[in-house]
Amino acid sequence: MHLLKHDTGRAAVVLPDGFLFGEGTKTNLKRELLEEFNLHTIVRLPKGVFSPYTGINTNLLFFEKGGPTKQVWFFEHPYPPGYKSYSRSKPLTIGEFDLEKKWWNKRKETEFAWKVSAKDIVSRNYNLDFKNPHVVDVVHRDPEELTKEYEEVSKELNQVRDKLKQELMKALTR
């Protein structure tokens, strides 16, 4: 970071997810990155990009020297259709970055892109682990629990239907 020339120095680094939310020395580095550099973009890469060496999520951080960060754009790189992970036989290719390239100079929020103010980052003790607000987390529950819940809802629905049927019959016989 300190080797960058003032007002013209730009850099991109690859870092694991742990850096984004880590504390201690990592917090000090993130504070310096936000206060002395413009951390303008974080591209969140999915699991498997560096398989077989590591399966953890990684990030590309883009920053430049010259002024403090006002906001950080996040871009979540999606898997190509049909992929659930990258591997040695299905690696990430440069062509897959066309989505980011198209977005880069005309930044706007999309299903893959969102921005966060530096104030929000500071209020979270420099935690940069912001999840995509456009993705709804799917909570997987125990199938037996779901089946029991479905049966209870079905039973209630049948009771309401029968009650409604009775009320309609009463109304029609009057």
Side-chain angles (χ1 to χ4, degrees):
M1 289 170 26
H2 297 286
L3 296 176
L4 296 177
K5 293 181 181 176
H6 188 69
D7 290 335
T8 60
R10 298 182 306 174
V13 294
V14 178
L15 292 170
D17 256 3
F19 175 80
L20 298 184
F21 56 82
E23 295 189 1
T25 301
K26 292 174 184 171
T27 300
N28 293 335
L29 279 170
K30 290 181 286 189
R31 179 182 298 115
E32 183 178 354
L33 192 56
L34 288 172
E35 292 175 359
E36 296 180 28
F37 299 85
N38 178 19
L39 173 63
H40 54 81
T41 310
I42 296 177
V43 176
R44 309 226 41 193
L45 299 174
K47 290 182 185 203
V49 170
F50 291 101
S51 284
Y53 309 105
T54 181
I56 61 173
N57 293 19
T58 50
N59 304 275
L60 304 174
L61 279 67
F62 296 86
F63 57 94
E64 51 197 36
K65 203 165 189 175
T69 303
K70 293 184 175 90
Q71 67 185 13
V72 178
W73 276 97
F74 287 83
F75 192 99
E76 186 171 62
H77 182 84
Y79 285 116
Y83 278 53
K84 292 187 180 183
S85 183
Y86 289 107
S87 65
R88 184 176 283 181
S89 61
K90 292 183 182 178
L92 174 70
T93 63
I94 193 69
E96 291 177 50
F97 285 103
D98 287 346
L99 193 59
E100 286 90 338
K101 289 177 190 176
K102 184 178 177 184
W103 167 83
W104 192 268
N105 290 323
K106 298 176 186 170
R107 294 182 183 212
K108 63 179 182 180
E109 293 204 18
T110 68
E111 64 183 300
F112 304 113
W114 66 100
K115 60 184 169 182
V116 177
S117 72
K119 284 183 181 181
D120 288 345
I121 295 167
V122 171
S123 72
R124 290 178 37 162
N125 195 31
Y126 297 92
N127 183 340
L128 293 170
D129 189 25
F130 285 85
K131 303 296 181 204
N132 187 341
H134 306 293
V135 173
V136 178
D137 284 337
V138 177
V139 178
H140 298 283
R141 293 177 29 210
D142 179 46
E144 288 182 30
E145 180 184 323
L146 289 170
T147 302
K148 185 176 180 180
E149 186 177 320
Y150 170 76
E151 289 170 353
E152 289 172 9
V153 169
S154 293
K155 185 178 176 182
E156 288 176 29
L157 184 61
N158 288 336
Q159 289 172 347
V160 169
R161 184 195 63 214
D162 291 344
K163 196 171 186 178
L164 179 61
K165 187 176 177 182
Q166 289 172 1
E167 292 297 320
L168 286 171
M169 293 302 281
K170 282 182 192 175
L172 291 173
T173 57
R174 289 185 192 163

